[in-house]
Amino acid sequence: MQERVLNFLNNWVGANIRHASHDPDADASTMQYRYLTDAVAAGLSLEEVNANWPEAEIEIRRALSQRRSSAAR
């Protein structure tokens, strides 16, 4: 994954999942459009974002899972 896409992903996951003041959407696939929109708005090309979506989806799912397990404690 390109460094700038990875940086955006890490920041996005932090803001929208790990440190969000509200519960994020329950499933990574429902967050795909939001992630894509935010990434393009931040200046990444749609091609970059789409090419890296499989890796981004894994990271989003991982963060959602960690947040759910932390909330269950």
Side-chain angles (χ1 to χ4, degrees), residues 5-65:
V5 176
L6 180 60
N7 287 336
F8 175 81
L9 173 63
N10 288 333
N11 291 332
W12 190 89
V13 166
N16 290 282
I17 300 172
R18 290 191 180 109
H19 305 293
S21 60
H22 63 286
D23 286 331
D25 291 326
D27 186 10
S29 59
T30 63
M31 298 183 83
Q32 179 179 12
Y33 297 111
R34 186 166 151 198
Y35 173 80
L36 293 174
T37 301
D38 291 349
V40 171
L44 298 175
S45 73
L46 188 56
E47 292 79 21
E48 287 176 300
V49 177
N50 284 334
N52 292 288
W53 172 247
E55 295 162 326
E57 185 176 24
I58 291 167
E59 186 59 32
I60 291 168
R61 287 183 190 279
R62 183 177 297 131
L64 286 169
S65 177

